[in-house]
Amino acid sequence: MQTFGSASTGRRIEKLHGAAKSSATDAWFGRGPVAAGGGGTAAGKRMLSKIETTSANLSWEAIAQWQTQTLRDGQQTKAQDLERREAKAKTRQESAPALYERSRHMQRVLQDLRSELVRRLPSLTALVEACDDFAQCDSRQRAAVAEMADLDGLAVMVMNCPITDAEGRMTEESGRVVADAEARLRAMETEL
């Protein structure tokens, strides 16, 4: 993201430093600045927080022990609350490996997309230097530009796809997006 992302000023994020880089990164994860219709830095921080939360190891045993002590005090309502919390914790614990694997899978796909973009960048640069007017390009040159735009679009689509929904459950959309990106990458490789 910092390699390909740009701040609202148009400057690449990797060229920024300090608070400007941090704010631009947060805004990028928030789908752009508020002025441009995105969620801004607050939404970006929430997205990053979700990512950290899903991959962090939670200490549910301590919560369960504390709630068990409350049960021993004879409070029935707290006992019912404990059961709900334990079920939620168990669900999160059971889904954590799958969420982690989905996150790693998305990271691998993004790395593959980045590698492919970097691999093709010199030929695109040479093409633009030779002919900077797209209307003057032949069909082969237009196809090369279209493939780069497609790769860039795939990277943005994967980065913007939520891994979890509002309830913290893994989204089916993230699986489809990753599978689609992998299939399109494989198709591009066979076309070479």
Side-chain angles (χ1 to χ4, degrees), residues 54 92-105 163 170 174:
T54 57
R92 286 185 178 172
Q93 285 175 338
E94 290 171 352
S95 65
L99 284 170
Y100 177 76
E101 186 53 38
R102 176 69 51 84
S103 174
R104 298 286 296 160
H105 196 177
I163 297 174
M170 186 164 43
S174 62

Side-chain angles (χ1 to χ4, degrees), residues 161-182:
C161 183
I163 297 174
T164 59
D165 62 14
E167 300 297 318
R169 295 176 301 234
M170 186 164 43
T171 63
E172 291 181 20
E173 177 189 7
S174 62
R176 285 192 303 268
V177 165
V178 169
D180 181 50
E182 285 181 320

Side-chain angles (χ1 to χ4, degrees), residues 127-147:
L127 186 151
V128 171
E129 288 173 355
C131 177
D132 63 357
D133 184 1
F134 187 73
Q136 300 290 328
C137 293
D138 62 28
S139 61
R140 183 188 56 78
Q141 292 168 323
R142 287 180 185 204
V145 171
E147 283 182 347

Side-chain angles (χ1 to χ4, degrees), residues 20-188:
K21 187 172 191 170
S22 178
S23 293
T25 300
D26 290 343
W28 190 93
F29 275 101
R31 296 191 174 147
V34 174
T41 58
K45 286 179 181 180
R46 283 192 302 274
M47 176 61 77
L48 289 171
S49 177
K50 279 185 183 180
I51 292 169
E52 289 173 12
T53 300
T54 57
S55 59
N57 291 327
L58 302 174
S59 178
W60 294 108
E61 184 174 314
I63 293 170
Q65 287 176 355
W66 179 78
Q67 289 292 341
T68 302
Q69 182 61 44
T70 306
L71 176 63
R72 289 183 186 140
D73 294 340
Q75 299 176 9
Q76 185 62 27
T77 55
K78 292 203 178 197
Q80 292 170 347
D81 185 46
L82 170 65
E83 290 173 12
R84 284 191 298 273
R85 287 178 183 249
E86 285 178 341
K88 195 172 184 177
K90 184 177 180 183
T91 301
R92 286 185 178 172
Q93 285 175 338
E94 290 171 352
S95 65
L99 284 170
Y100 177 76
E101 186 53 38
R102 176 69 51 84
S103 174
R104 298 286 296 160
H105 196 177
M106 290 177 91
Q107 289 172 5
R108 285 190 299 269
V109 167
L110 285 170
Q111 184 61 40
D112 291 346
L113 286 164
R114 179 186 184 279
S115 296
E116 190 62 23
L117 282 162
V118 168
R119 186 183 70 77
R120 292 172 183 237
L121 190 57
S123 63
L124 179 68
T125 302
L127 186 151
V128 171
E129 288 173 355
C131 177
D132 63 357
D133 184 1
F134 187 73
Q136 300 290 328
C137 293
D138 62 28
S139 61
R140 183 188 56 78
Q141 292 168 323
R142 287 180 185 204
V145 171
E147 283 182 347
M148 284 295 282
D150 190 37
L151 283 168
D152 187 50
L154 279 173
V156 170
M157 185 172 57
V158 172
M159 287 186 280
N160 285 335
C161 183
I163 297 174
T164 59
D165 62 14
E167 300 297 318
R169 295 176 301 234
M170 186 164 43
T171 63
E172 291 181 20
E173 177 189 7
S174 62
R176 285 192 303 268
V177 165
V178 169
D180 181 50
E182 285 181 320
R184 290 167 74 180
L185 272 170
R186 280 193 303 272
M188 285 180 181

